[in-house]
Amino acid sequence: AHGVARPAAPLSTFLVGFAAARNGGTAADIEQACATATGLALEWAKTHPTETR
């Protein structure tokens, strides 16, 4: 959750679980959904640096 607003964590977790379930819900589906979400978050972090307040 570092670098991303913590309130987004529950929604992100839900969406990963939902995507995995839609694809079958196997361990491999969960791993793929997690990898996809992680990749998207890392890419977003590169293009949207954290602002300091």
PDB file of all heavy atoms in Angstrom, residues 7-42:
ATOM      1  N   PRO A   7      -6.791   3.896   1.374  1.00  0.00           N
ATOM      2  CA  PRO A   7      -8.206   3.546   1.183  1.00  0.00           C
ATOM      3  C   PRO A   7      -8.470   2.720  -0.075  1.00  0.00           C
ATOM      4  O   PRO A   7      -9.509   2.072  -0.184  1.00  0.00           O
ATOM      5  CB  PRO A   7      -8.900   4.901   1.097  1.00  0.00           C
ATOM      6  CG  PRO A   7      -8.014   5.824   1.854  1.00  0.00           C
ATOM      7  CD  PRO A   7      -6.612   5.322   1.568  1.00  0.00           C
ATOM      8  N   ALA A   8      -7.552   2.717  -1.016  1.00  0.00           N
ATOM      9  CA  ALA A   8      -7.746   1.939  -2.237  1.00  0.00           C
ATOM     10  C   ALA A   8      -7.490   0.450  -2.023  1.00  0.00           C
ATOM     11  O   ALA A   8      -7.922  -0.369  -2.834  1.00  0.00           O
ATOM     12  CB  ALA A   8      -6.828   2.457  -3.344  1.00  0.00           C
ATOM     13  N   ALA A   9      -6.828   0.079  -0.945  1.00  0.00           N
ATOM     14  CA  ALA A   9      -6.465  -1.323  -0.731  1.00  0.00           C
ATOM     15  C   ALA A   9      -7.672  -2.257  -0.660  1.00  0.00           C
ATOM     16  O   ALA A   9      -7.663  -3.301  -1.324  1.00  0.00           O
ATOM     17  CB  ALA A   9      -5.591  -1.460   0.510  1.00  0.00           C
ATOM     18  N   PRO A  10      -8.725  -1.954   0.104  1.00  0.00           N
ATOM     19  CA  PRO A  10      -9.859  -2.891   0.129  1.00  0.00           C
ATOM     20  C   PRO A  10     -10.527  -3.066  -1.239  1.00  0.00           C
ATOM     21  O   PRO A  10     -10.891  -4.182  -1.616  1.00  0.00           O
ATOM     22  CB  PRO A  10     -10.832  -2.262   1.131  1.00  0.00           C
ATOM     23  CG  PRO A  10      -9.966  -1.401   1.996  1.00  0.00           C
ATOM     24  CD  PRO A  10      -8.890  -0.883   1.081  1.00  0.00           C
ATOM     25  N   LEU A  11     -10.674  -1.994  -1.975  1.00  0.00           N
ATOM     26  CA  LEU A  11     -11.287  -2.093  -3.297  1.00  0.00           C
ATOM     27  C   LEU A  11     -10.392  -2.882  -4.243  1.00  0.00           C
ATOM     28  O   LEU A  11     -10.875  -3.743  -4.996  1.00  0.00           O
ATOM     29  CB  LEU A  11     -11.573  -0.706  -3.874  1.00  0.00           C
ATOM     30  CG  LEU A  11     -12.187  -0.686  -5.271  1.00  0.00           C
ATOM     31  CD1 LEU A  11     -13.505  -1.457  -5.302  1.00  0.00           C
ATOM     32  CD2 LEU A  11     -12.377   0.730  -5.737  1.00  0.00           C
ATOM     33  N   SER A  12      -9.105  -2.621  -4.193  1.00  0.00           N
ATOM     34  CA  SER A  12      -8.164  -3.355  -5.047  1.00  0.00           C
ATOM     35  C   SER A  12      -8.205  -4.845  -4.744  1.00  0.00           C
ATOM     36  O   SER A  12      -8.216  -5.674  -5.662  1.00  0.00           O
ATOM     37  CB  SER A  12      -6.744  -2.825  -4.851  1.00  0.00           C
ATOM     38  OG  SER A  12      -6.669  -1.475  -5.196  1.00  0.00           O
ATOM     39  N   THR A  13      -8.227  -5.187  -3.476  1.00  0.00           N
ATOM     40  CA  THR A  13      -8.280  -6.592  -3.073  1.00  0.00           C
ATOM     41  C   THR A  13      -9.565  -7.250  -3.574  1.00  0.00           C
ATOM     42  O   THR A  13      -9.540  -8.373  -4.086  1.00  0.00           O
ATOM     43  CB  THR A  13      -8.185  -6.711  -1.540  1.00  0.00           C
ATOM     44  OG1 THR A  13      -6.976  -6.072  -1.117  1.00  0.00           O
ATOM     45  CG2 THR A  13      -8.168  -8.150  -1.095  1.00  0.00           C
ATOM     46  N   PHE A  14     -10.678  -6.542  -3.441  1.00  0.00           N
ATOM     47  CA  PHE A  14     -11.952  -7.068  -3.938  1.00  0.00           C
ATOM     48  C   PHE A  14     -11.882  -7.309  -5.441  1.00  0.00           C
ATOM     49  O   PHE A  14     -12.310  -8.363  -5.935  1.00  0.00           O
ATOM     50  CB  PHE A  14     -13.104  -6.111  -3.614  1.00  0.00           C
ATOM     51  CG  PHE A  14     -14.370  -6.483  -4.321  1.00  0.00           C
ATOM     52  CD1 PHE A  14     -15.165  -7.518  -3.856  1.00  0.00           C
ATOM     53  CD2 PHE A  14     -14.757  -5.811  -5.469  1.00  0.00           C
ATOM     54  CE1 PHE A  14     -16.329  -7.881  -4.521  1.00  0.00           C
ATOM     55  CE2 PHE A  14     -15.914  -6.163  -6.145  1.00  0.00           C
ATOM     56  CZ  PHE A  14     -16.702  -7.201  -5.666  1.00  0.00           C
ATOM     57  N   LEU A  15     -11.354  -6.334  -6.177  1.00  0.00           N
ATOM     58  CA  LEU A  15     -11.302  -6.463  -7.638  1.00  0.00           C
ATOM     59  C   LEU A  15     -10.392  -7.600  -8.081  1.00  0.00           C
ATOM     60  O   LEU A  15     -10.698  -8.300  -9.041  1.00  0.00           O
ATOM     61  CB  LEU A  15     -10.875  -5.139  -8.269  1.00  0.00           C
ATOM     62  CG  LEU A  15     -11.905  -4.019  -8.127  1.00  0.00           C
ATOM     63  CD1 LEU A  15     -11.327  -2.699  -8.644  1.00  0.00           C
ATOM     64  CD2 LEU A  15     -13.193  -4.363  -8.832  1.00  0.00           C
ATOM     65  N   VAL A  16      -9.283  -7.799  -7.384  1.00  0.00           N
ATOM     66  CA  VAL A  16      -8.401  -8.930  -7.707  1.00  0.00           C
ATOM     67  C   VAL A  16      -9.149 -10.244  -7.472  1.00  0.00           C
ATOM     68  O   VAL A  16      -9.119 -11.152  -8.312  1.00  0.00           O
ATOM     69  CB  VAL A  16      -7.096  -8.875  -6.887  1.00  0.00           C
ATOM     70  CG1 VAL A  16      -6.350 -10.198  -6.938  1.00  0.00           C
ATOM     71  CG2 VAL A  16      -6.203  -7.753  -7.388  1.00  0.00           C
ATOM     72  N   GLY A  17      -9.836 -10.347  -6.340  1.00  0.00           N
ATOM     73  CA  GLY A  17     -10.605 -11.557  -6.051  1.00  0.00           C
ATOM     74  C   GLY A  17     -11.722 -11.779  -7.052  1.00  0.00           C
ATOM     75  O   GLY A  17     -11.967 -12.907  -7.492  1.00  0.00           O
ATOM     76  N   PHE A  18     -12.396 -10.712  -7.430  1.00  0.00           N
ATOM     77  CA  PHE A  18     -13.480 -10.806  -8.406  1.00  0.00           C
ATOM     78  C   PHE A  18     -12.944 -11.279  -9.755  1.00  0.00           C
ATOM     79  O   PHE A  18     -13.520 -12.175 -10.383  1.00  0.00           O
ATOM     80  CB  PHE A  18     -14.165  -9.445  -8.548  1.00  0.00           C
ATOM     81  CG  PHE A  18     -15.358  -9.458  -9.434  1.00  0.00           C
ATOM     82  CD1 PHE A  18     -16.556  -9.990  -8.995  1.00  0.00           C
ATOM     83  CD2 PHE A  18     -15.295  -8.935 -10.712  1.00  0.00           C
ATOM     84  CE1 PHE A  18     -17.678 -10.000  -9.821  1.00  0.00           C
ATOM     85  CE2 PHE A  18     -16.400  -8.945 -11.544  1.00  0.00           C
ATOM     86  CZ  PHE A  18     -17.596  -9.479 -11.095  1.00  0.00           C
ATOM     87  N   ALA A  19     -11.835 -10.690 -10.197  1.00  0.00           N
ATOM     88  CA  ALA A  19     -11.236 -11.086 -11.480  1.00  0.00           C
ATOM     89  C   ALA A  19     -10.803 -12.546 -11.448  1.00  0.00           C
ATOM     90  O   ALA A  19     -11.032 -13.288 -12.414  1.00  0.00           O
ATOM     91  CB  ALA A  19     -10.054 -10.184 -11.811  1.00  0.00           C
ATOM     92  N   ALA A  20     -10.205 -12.964 -10.350  1.00  0.00           N
ATOM     93  CA  ALA A  20      -9.769 -14.354 -10.235  1.00  0.00           C
ATOM     94  C   ALA A  20     -10.970 -15.302 -10.272  1.00  0.00           C
ATOM     95  O   ALA A  20     -10.934 -16.329 -10.951  1.00  0.00           O
ATOM     96  CB  ALA A  20      -8.964 -14.551  -8.950  1.00  0.00           C
ATOM     97  N   ALA A  21     -12.018 -14.941  -9.562  1.00  0.00           N
ATOM     98  CA  ALA A  21     -13.214 -15.791  -9.533  1.00  0.00           C
ATOM     99  C   ALA A  21     -13.856 -15.880 -10.910  1.00  0.00           C
ATOM    100  O   ALA A  21     -14.306 -16.957 -11.320  1.00  0.00           O
ATOM    101  CB  ALA A  21     -14.219 -15.249  -8.514  1.00  0.00           C
ATOM    102  N   ARG A  22     -13.891 -14.775 -11.639  1.00  0.00           N
ATOM    103  CA  ARG A  22     -14.482 -14.772 -12.985  1.00  0.00           C
ATOM    104  C   ARG A  22     -13.699 -15.664 -13.949  1.00  0.00           C
ATOM    105  O   ARG A  22     -14.249 -16.160 -14.924  1.00  0.00           O
ATOM    106  CB  ARG A  22     -14.532 -13.356 -13.547  1.00  0.00           C
ATOM    107  CG  ARG A  22     -15.430 -12.403 -12.817  1.00  0.00           C
ATOM    108  CD  ARG A  22     -16.783 -12.304 -13.363  1.00  0.00           C
ATOM    109  NE  ARG A  22     -16.747 -12.095 -14.807  1.00  0.00           N
ATOM    110  CZ  ARG A  22     -17.810 -11.933 -15.540  1.00  0.00           C
ATOM    111  NH1 ARG A  22     -18.990 -11.915 -14.980  1.00  0.00           N
ATOM    112  NH2 ARG A  22     -17.720 -11.763 -16.832  1.00  0.00           N
ATOM    113  N   ASN A  23     -12.415 -15.852 -13.656  1.00  0.00           N
ATOM    114  CA  ASN A  23     -11.578 -16.679 -14.521  1.00  0.00           C
ATOM    115  C   ASN A  23     -11.472 -18.117 -14.041  1.00  0.00           C
ATOM    116  O   ASN A  23     -10.683 -18.884 -14.564  1.00  0.00           O
ATOM    117  CB  ASN A  23     -10.190 -16.060 -14.658  1.00  0.00           C
ATOM    118  CG  ASN A  23     -10.227 -14.825 -15.528  1.00  0.00           C
ATOM    119  OD1 ASN A  23     -10.871 -14.822 -16.561  1.00  0.00           O
ATOM    120  ND2 ASN A  23      -9.547 -13.778 -15.115  1.00  0.00           N
ATOM    121  N   GLY A  24     -12.217 -18.488 -13.013  1.00  0.00           N
ATOM    122  CA  GLY A  24     -12.222 -19.876 -12.559  1.00  0.00           C
ATOM    123  C   GLY A  24     -11.943 -20.037 -11.079  1.00  0.00           C
ATOM    124  O   GLY A  24     -12.344 -21.016 -10.480  1.00  0.00           O
ATOM    125  N   GLY A  25     -11.193 -19.120 -10.493  1.00  0.00           N
ATOM    126  CA  GLY A  25     -10.940 -19.155  -9.061  1.00  0.00           C
ATOM    127  C   GLY A  25      -9.865 -20.105  -8.595  1.00  0.00           C
ATOM    128  O   GLY A  25      -9.730 -20.359  -7.404  1.00  0.00           O
ATOM    129  N   THR A  26      -9.103 -20.639  -9.521  1.00  0.00           N
ATOM    130  CA  THR A  26      -8.021 -21.533  -9.118  1.00  0.00           C
ATOM    131  C   THR A  26      -6.847 -20.719  -8.567  1.00  0.00           C
ATOM    132  O   THR A  26      -6.807 -19.488  -8.699  1.00  0.00           O
ATOM    133  CB  THR A  26      -7.509 -22.363 -10.310  1.00  0.00           C
ATOM    134  OG1 THR A  26      -6.881 -21.472 -11.252  1.00  0.00           O
ATOM    135  CG2 THR A  26      -8.630 -23.136 -10.989  1.00  0.00           C
ATOM    136  N   ALA A  27      -5.897 -21.406  -7.975  1.00  0.00           N
ATOM    137  CA  ALA A  27      -4.708 -20.731  -7.455  1.00  0.00           C
ATOM    138  C   ALA A  27      -3.981 -19.989  -8.579  1.00  0.00           C
ATOM    139  O   ALA A  27      -3.498 -18.871  -8.383  1.00  0.00           O
ATOM    140  CB  ALA A  27      -3.770 -21.738  -6.789  1.00  0.00           C
ATOM    141  N   ALA A  28      -3.947 -20.584  -9.752  1.00  0.00           N
ATOM    142  CA  ALA A  28      -3.295 -19.938 -10.895  1.00  0.00           C
ATOM    143  C   ALA A  28      -4.050 -18.668 -11.311  1.00  0.00           C
ATOM    144  O   ALA A  28      -3.423 -17.662 -11.675  1.00  0.00           O
ATOM    145  CB  ALA A  28      -3.193 -20.898 -12.068  1.00  0.00           C
ATOM    146  N   ASP A  29      -5.372 -18.707 -11.235  1.00  0.00           N
ATOM    147  CA  ASP A  29      -6.174 -17.527 -11.571  1.00  0.00           C
ATOM    148  C   ASP A  29      -5.923 -16.397 -10.573  1.00  0.00           C
ATOM    149  O   ASP A  29      -5.836 -15.227 -10.952  1.00  0.00           O
ATOM    150  CB  ASP A  29      -7.669 -17.863 -11.583  1.00  0.00           C
ATOM    151  CG  ASP A  29      -8.026 -18.868 -12.666  1.00  0.00           C
ATOM    152  OD1 ASP A  29      -7.433 -18.809 -13.766  1.00  0.00           O
ATOM    153  OD2 ASP A  29      -8.894 -19.719 -12.399  1.00  0.00           O
ATOM    154  N   ILE A  30      -5.804 -16.750  -9.308  1.00  0.00           N
ATOM    155  CA  ILE A  30      -5.513 -15.755  -8.272  1.00  0.00           C
ATOM    156  C   ILE A  30      -4.132 -15.149  -8.505  1.00  0.00           C
ATOM    157  O   ILE A  30      -3.958 -13.929  -8.441  1.00  0.00           O
ATOM    158  CB  ILE A  30      -5.614 -16.377  -6.875  1.00  0.00           C
ATOM    159  CG1 ILE A  30      -7.057 -16.833  -6.615  1.00  0.00           C
ATOM    160  CG2 ILE A  30      -5.160 -15.392  -5.797  1.00  0.00           C
ATOM    161  CD1 ILE A  30      -7.205 -17.737  -5.408  1.00  0.00           C
ATOM    162  N   GLU A  31      -3.150 -15.993  -8.784  1.00  0.00           N
ATOM    163  CA  GLU A  31      -1.792 -15.501  -9.045  1.00  0.00           C
ATOM    164  C   GLU A  31      -1.763 -14.575 -10.255  1.00  0.00           C
ATOM    165  O   GLU A  31      -1.095 -13.538 -10.236  1.00  0.00           O
ATOM    166  CB  GLU A  31      -0.832 -16.671  -9.244  1.00  0.00           C
ATOM    167  CG  GLU A  31      -0.537 -17.421  -7.973  1.00  0.00           C
ATOM    168  CD  GLU A  31       0.396 -18.594  -8.190  1.00  0.00           C
ATOM    169  OE1 GLU A  31       1.094 -18.637  -9.229  1.00  0.00           O
ATOM    170  OE2 GLU A  31       0.423 -19.467  -7.314  1.00  0.00           O
ATOM    171  N   GLN A  32      -2.499 -14.916 -11.306  1.00  0.00           N
ATOM    172  CA  GLN A  32      -2.531 -14.085 -12.507  1.00  0.00           C
ATOM    173  C   GLN A  32      -3.191 -12.747 -12.218  1.00  0.00           C
ATOM    174  O   GLN A  32      -2.704 -11.696 -12.659  1.00  0.00           O
ATOM    175  CB  GLN A  32      -3.256 -14.799 -13.646  1.00  0.00           C
ATOM    176  CG  GLN A  32      -3.321 -13.990 -14.922  1.00  0.00           C
ATOM    177  CD  GLN A  32      -1.936 -13.641 -15.465  1.00  0.00           C
ATOM    178  OE1 GLN A  32      -1.069 -14.502 -15.536  1.00  0.00           O
ATOM    179  NE2 GLN A  32      -1.720 -12.395 -15.837  1.00  0.00           N
ATOM    180  N   ALA A  33      -4.301 -12.753 -11.496  1.00  0.00           N
ATOM    181  CA  ALA A  33      -4.986 -11.506 -11.157  1.00  0.00           C
ATOM    182  C   ALA A  33      -4.089 -10.621 -10.292  1.00  0.00           C
ATOM    183  O   ALA A  33      -4.027  -9.397 -10.492  1.00  0.00           O
ATOM    184  CB  ALA A  33      -6.304 -11.805 -10.443  1.00  0.00           C
ATOM    185  N   CYS A  34      -3.389 -11.222  -9.350  1.00  0.00           N
ATOM    186  CA  CYS A  34      -2.454 -10.457  -8.502  1.00  0.00           C
ATOM    187  C   CYS A  34      -1.315  -9.877  -9.333  1.00  0.00           C
ATOM    188  O   CYS A  34      -0.933  -8.709  -9.151  1.00  0.00           O
ATOM    189  CB  CYS A  34      -1.884 -11.340  -7.403  1.00  0.00           C
ATOM    190  SG  CYS A  34      -3.056 -11.764  -6.107  1.00  0.00           S
ATOM    191  N   ALA A  35      -0.772 -10.667 -10.244  1.00  0.00           N
ATOM    192  CA  ALA A  35       0.319 -10.191 -11.090  1.00  0.00           C
ATOM    193  C   ALA A  35      -0.135  -9.044 -11.982  1.00  0.00           C
ATOM    194  O   ALA A  35       0.593  -8.052 -12.155  1.00  0.00           O
ATOM    195  CB  ALA A  35       0.871 -11.342 -11.932  1.00  0.00           C
ATOM    196  N   THR A  36      -1.333  -9.149 -12.523  1.00  0.00           N
ATOM    197  CA  THR A  36      -1.865  -8.085 -13.368  1.00  0.00           C
ATOM    198  C   THR A  36      -2.056  -6.805 -12.569  1.00  0.00           C
ATOM    199  O   THR A  36      -1.642  -5.721 -13.003  1.00  0.00           O
ATOM    200  CB  THR A  36      -3.198  -8.517 -14.011  1.00  0.00           C
ATOM    201  OG1 THR A  36      -2.956  -9.663 -14.817  1.00  0.00           O
ATOM    202  CG2 THR A  36      -3.782  -7.407 -14.856  1.00  0.00           C
ATOM    203  N   ALA A  37      -2.667  -6.923 -11.387  1.00  0.00           N
ATOM    204  CA  ALA A  37      -2.894  -5.744 -10.544  1.00  0.00           C
ATOM    205  C   ALA A  37      -1.576  -5.118 -10.105  1.00  0.00           C
ATOM    206  O   ALA A  37      -1.430  -3.892 -10.105  1.00  0.00           O
ATOM    207  CB  ALA A  37      -3.733  -6.123  -9.331  1.00  0.00           C
ATOM    208  N   THR A  38      -0.612  -5.950  -9.757  1.00  0.00           N
ATOM    209  CA  THR A  38       0.698  -5.442  -9.349  1.00  0.00           C
ATOM    210  C   THR A  38       1.371  -4.706 -10.491  1.00  0.00           C
ATOM    211  O   THR A  38       1.911  -3.611 -10.309  1.00  0.00           O
ATOM    212  CB  THR A  38       1.594  -6.592  -8.857  1.00  0.00           C
ATOM    213  OG1 THR A  38       0.970  -7.205  -7.728  1.00  0.00           O
ATOM    214  CG2 THR A  38       2.976  -6.098  -8.464  1.00  0.00           C
ATOM    215  N   GLY A  39       1.331  -5.284 -11.676  1.00  0.00           N
ATOM    216  CA  GLY A  39       1.927  -4.629 -12.844  1.00  0.00           C
ATOM    217  C   GLY A  39       1.285  -3.289 -13.146  1.00  0.00           C
ATOM    218  O   GLY A  39       1.976  -2.303 -13.430  1.00  0.00           O
ATOM    219  N   LEU A  40      -0.033  -3.245 -13.055  1.00  0.00           N
ATOM    220  CA  LEU A  40      -0.735  -1.983 -13.294  1.00  0.00           C
ATOM    221  C   LEU A  40      -0.379  -0.940 -12.237  1.00  0.00           C
ATOM    222  O   LEU A  40      -0.172   0.234 -12.554  1.00  0.00           O
ATOM    223  CB  LEU A  40      -2.243  -2.218 -13.321  1.00  0.00           C
ATOM    224  CG  LEU A  40      -2.773  -2.987 -14.520  1.00  0.00           C
ATOM    225  CD1 LEU A  40      -4.231  -3.383 -14.297  1.00  0.00           C
ATOM    226  CD2 LEU A  40      -2.619  -2.169 -15.790  1.00  0.00           C
ATOM    227  N   ALA A  41      -0.294  -1.365 -10.978  1.00  0.00           N
ATOM    228  CA  ALA A  41       0.052  -0.431  -9.904  1.00  0.00           C
ATOM    229  C   ALA A  41       1.469   0.096 -10.062  1.00  0.00           C
ATOM    230  O   ALA A  41       1.724   1.291  -9.867  1.00  0.00           O
ATOM    231  CB  ALA A  41      -0.106  -1.116  -8.546  1.00  0.00           C
ATOM    232  N   LEU A  42       2.391  -0.769 -10.438  1.00  0.00           N
ATOM    233  CA  LEU A  42       3.782  -0.331 -10.624  1.00  0.00           C
ATOM    234  C   LEU A  42       3.898   0.633 -11.793  1.00  0.00           C
ATOM    235  O   LEU A  42       4.636   1.622 -11.728  1.00  0.00           O
ATOM    236  CB  LEU A  42       4.700  -1.538 -10.817  1.00  0.00           C
ATOM    237  CG  LEU A  42       4.896  -2.412  -9.586  1.00  0.00           C
ATOM    238  CD1 LEU A  42       5.664  -3.674  -9.959  1.00  0.00           C
ATOM    239  CD2 LEU A  42       5.607  -1.638  -8.489  1.00  0.00           C
TER     240      LEU A  42
END
